[in-house]
Structure formats: C-alpha cells, structure tokens
C-alpha cells in the first residue's frame, strides 16, 4: 500500500534516502481511481527500493500548490529531495515503473 502524505509530513518524505514517487489524486477523479491499484501494486513491488506515496489534493493545500499541480492524476518523482520527473494523466504501469527504474 502506498504511504499517505499531506502538508504536515511531506518534508519528512522528501528527506528519504530512497527515490520517492508521489501520486497526486482526488476521490472524484476517474483517471485517479483507474491508476490507484497500479500505484498500490508498485508500492508493494518497490518496497525497500523506493518510497511510493499518495497525496489527496482535496486534503492538502500547500504541497500541490508548491509543485504546480493543475491536473490530476499527476505523479512526481524525487531523488535526493529534488523533483526530477513528472507524469501528468493516467498511464500504464510500465510508464511509472520505467521512470522509477531510471532513477534507481
């Protein structure tokens, strides 16, 4: 299962020594619901190698604003606490894992 992040714990997540993948989503978003099981699968498969997280944009104000989240789903990739890649819109598991693999 992906780790739930919010405005309060996001900085802590970025301090991880692992590559971090964050899915920005909302309960009312159809494409977000479609990729949710994929994100959870990736979280399980990459446990110990990468930190896979979910951030509900309806429950957070600061983090989505800070990273310019204007469309959801948006998946951001961080390495060493820095934003290094992003994926906007629903995509296949291969797209997400390909970006993660490139950062590991």
């Amino acid at each position: 299962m992906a780790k739930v992040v919010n405005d309060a714990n996001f900085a802590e997540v970025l301090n991880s020594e692992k590559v971090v993948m964050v899915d920005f989503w909302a309960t009312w978003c159809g494409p977000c619901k479609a990729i949710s099981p994929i994100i959870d699968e990736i979280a399980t498969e990459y446990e110990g190698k990468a930190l896979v997280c979910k951030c509900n944009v309806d429950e957070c104000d600061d983090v989505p604003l800070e990273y310019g989240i204007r469309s959801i789903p948006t998946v951001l990739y961080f390495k060493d606490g820095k934003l290094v890649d992003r994926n906007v819109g629903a995509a296949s598991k291969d797209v997400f894992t390909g970006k993660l693999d490139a950062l590991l």
Side-chain angles (χ1 to χ4, degrees):
M1 206 70 191
K3 177 180 176 68
V4 175
V5 295
N6 53 42
D7 290 339
N9 69 354
F10 197 78
E12 168 191 321
V13 168
L14 288 186
N15 287 331
S16 172
E17 293 180 6
K18 298 179 180 106
V19 170
V20 178
M21 174 179 163
V22 183
D23 172 28
F24 289 86
W25 68 285
T27 56
W28 47 264
C29 168
C32 298
K33 289 179 185 178
I35 69 165
S36 183
I38 295 169
I39 301 298
D40 287 334
E41 236 179 82
I42 293 169
T44 301
E45 291 173 12
Y46 282 76
E47 190 171 346
K49 296 188 283 184
L51 183 57
V52 179
C53 308
K54 290 183 177 185
C55 181
N56 185 332
V57 297
D58 289 335
E59 296 174 359
C60 299
D61 295 321
D62 299 336
V63 173
L65 182 64
E66 180 179 347
Y67 289 99
I69 306 300
R70 291 183 179 86
S71 298
I72 54 172
T74 292
V75 177
L76 301 183
Y77 302 84
F78 297 87
K79 186 168 185 173
D80 299 324
K82 293 181 175 68
L83 177 63
V84 293
D85 204 350
R86 78 173 49 219
N87 189 82
V88 179
S92 69
K93 181 178 177 181
D94 290 342
V95 170
F96 298 125
T97 57
K99 289 183 182 237
L100 266 180
D101 290 340
L103 297 170
L104 293 175

